[in-house]
Amino acid sequence: MMSVQTTETQAGAEPQGLGTYLSSHMREFGLLFALIAIMVFFQIVTDGTLMRPVNITNLFLQNSFVIIMALGMLIVIVSGNIDLSVGSVMGFVGAFAAVMIVEWHVSVPVTILVSLVMGAVIGAAQGYWVAYWAIPSFIVTLAGMLVFRGASLLLLQGQSVGPFPMEFQMLSNGFVPDILPASATSGLAALAGSRAFNALCMGFGVVCSAVIIWAGLRDRARKAAYGALKEPINLFWIRNAIVIAAILFLTFKLSTFRGLPNVLVTMGVLIVLYTFITQNTVIGRRIYALGGNRKAAKLSGIKTERLTFLAFVNMGVLAALAGLVFAARLNTATPKAGFGLELDVIAAVFIGGAAMAGGAGKITGVVIGAFIMGVLNNGMSILGIGIDYQQMIKGLVLLAAVIFDVYNKQKQG
């Protein structure tokens, strides 16, 4: 704390006023507050069902594949493209994995590896035409959506394939075992009013909170050193207090149920990895430059074709991983798996603040956008709202988010 303040003083960086900073970052804070408001609303109208430990676990499990694909979709959209085939690719890879395991009796590790490689090959096949032949990504991936939807039907012959061995199901439905025996945590369980208490899960929340504070202070010190510090210190602590309170609350709830879902750990690793890539690496900055102005990026020496190609390869791998998680979640592969899911993925990215023209968008925004969609789905399902009204409401939320974004940009510019 002291070292950060000293650095700020030495660099002569003057953070902006609270009102000025909030007005210029309304999109980011608006998303966070919107998610909190939606969760509070559904917590009230569902009589507390939304925040029950079992439902929080289901919320993570039900939205894991959307978040995984949304991370890749952000990279594609930031680069100035779009991928309409992700739902079909997810369904096809899940179907192929099911056939390998159930009918061909291939081991689970080999199946996972082959499936991820297949996703990379599919992404490369589509990215090749977009990157090196300049065919619009909308057309290429629309064709891919139809091709892989048909390929799933052909592969499964219109039938569901399953069930899977427990080893494969653990991808989505498994939980990280606690490091302490139940006898050692019985006191904590009694205090929490539950049958058991997962100390590892709670410890994970505490460690994550500490890392967030450390990373935030380190980032402030780095920005202050370059005279680029804008966020007021009081807003920094308020924002982090809200995030940490949410993390500790969720991990406490999960600790009283079954602990950390495996898929939550997978998501967490991917979120950290892609946040680092997009914000702290050369390739991340080049992807944003590519989406911001392709011609200028090319003239500055950036290999735009290769970056575009790699963006689609990355998307293919993540769609394949989502397909494995989805199939493990259902314990079966169905011909309709992933149908229309590309719309939820794209909606999560745009609600999270990405620009259709490319060059703008953050991983944190995408994650919040995905959870907004997930909480809406979950809350409306608990209330028994029909799928017809759910689709209409989600469409209006997407439109409202885009209108708010456009209005904000016009007001600032």
Side-chain angles (χ1 to χ4, degrees), residues 62 65-66 69 73 83-95 144-146 148-150 152-153 156 319 322-327 330 332-346:
Q62 291 168 0
F65 39 87
V66 174
M69 289 194 291
M73 186 64 74
D83 192 341
L84 300 178
S85 70
V86 291
S88 298
V89 172
M90 186 195 89
F92 173 71
V93 172
M145 179 177 71
L146 299 174
F148 293 108
R149 177 61 56 204
S152 297
L153 293 169
L156 297 177
L324 296 172
V325 170
F326 187 77
L330 296 182
T332 185
T334 66
K336 292 187 177 180
F339 184 76
L341 201 60
E342 60 276 348
L343 301 180
D344 282 348
V345 174
I346 294 170

Side-chain angles (χ1 to χ4, degrees), residues 72 75-76 79-81 83 117 119-135 137 140-141 283 287 290 294 302-317:
I75 302 297
V76 171
S79 71
N81 298 286
D83 192 341
V117 171
V121 171
I122 291 171
Q126 296 190 122
Y128 171 76
W129 297 108
V130 176
Y132 297 103
W133 286 73
I135 300 176
S137 57
V140 173
T141 57
I283 192 171
I287 289 172
L290 168 63
R294 181 177 295 269
I302 296 175
K303 297 180 179 179
T304 55
E305 292 85 0
R306 187 175 68 177
L307 273 183
T308 301
F309 177 77
L310 291 176
F312 279 92
V313 172
N314 175 71
M315 183 71 257
V317 173

Side-chain angles (χ1 to χ4, degrees), residues 228-308:
L229 184 62
K230 296 181 180 180
E231 184 181 28
I233 187 65
N234 53 349
L235 186 59
F236 167 82
W237 287 114
I238 292 171
R239 174 173 59 81
N240 280 282
I242 294 173
V243 172
I244 289 171
I247 290 173
L248 294 177
F249 175 78
L250 291 175
T251 50
F252 174 77
K253 287 287 187 178
L254 292 175
S255 298
T256 61
F257 183 52
R258 297 180 64 184
L260 283 173
N262 290 340
V263 73
L264 178 58
V265 176
T266 302
M267 279 178 7
V269 170
L270 289 174
I271 289 169
V272 171
L273 175 62
Y274 280 86
T275 299
F276 177 78
I277 289 173
T278 54
Q279 295 185 4
N280 298 282
T281 66
V282 173
I283 192 171
R285 290 190 288 271
R286 287 178 175 176
I287 289 172
Y288 281 92
L290 168 63
N293 191 321
R294 181 177 295 269
K295 290 183 179 179
K298 192 173 182 65
L299 289 172
S300 66
I302 296 175
K303 297 180 179 179
T304 55
E305 292 85 0
R306 187 175 68 177
L307 273 183
T308 301

Side-chain angles (χ1 to χ4, degrees), residues 66-121:
V66 174
I67 294 174
I68 288 171
M69 289 194 291
L71 298 176
M73 186 64 74
L74 175 68
I75 302 297
V76 171
I77 289 176
V78 164
S79 71
N81 298 286
I82 197 165
D83 192 341
L84 300 178
S85 70
V86 291
S88 298
V89 172
M90 186 195 89
F92 173 71
V93 172
F96 190 79
V99 170
M100 289 182 68
I101 292 174
V102 177
E103 297 183 2
W104 299 348
H105 306 291
V106 179
S107 68
V108 171
V110 172
T111 298
I112 292 173
L113 179 60
V114 171
S115 298
L116 295 178
V117 171
M118 176 176 288
V121 171

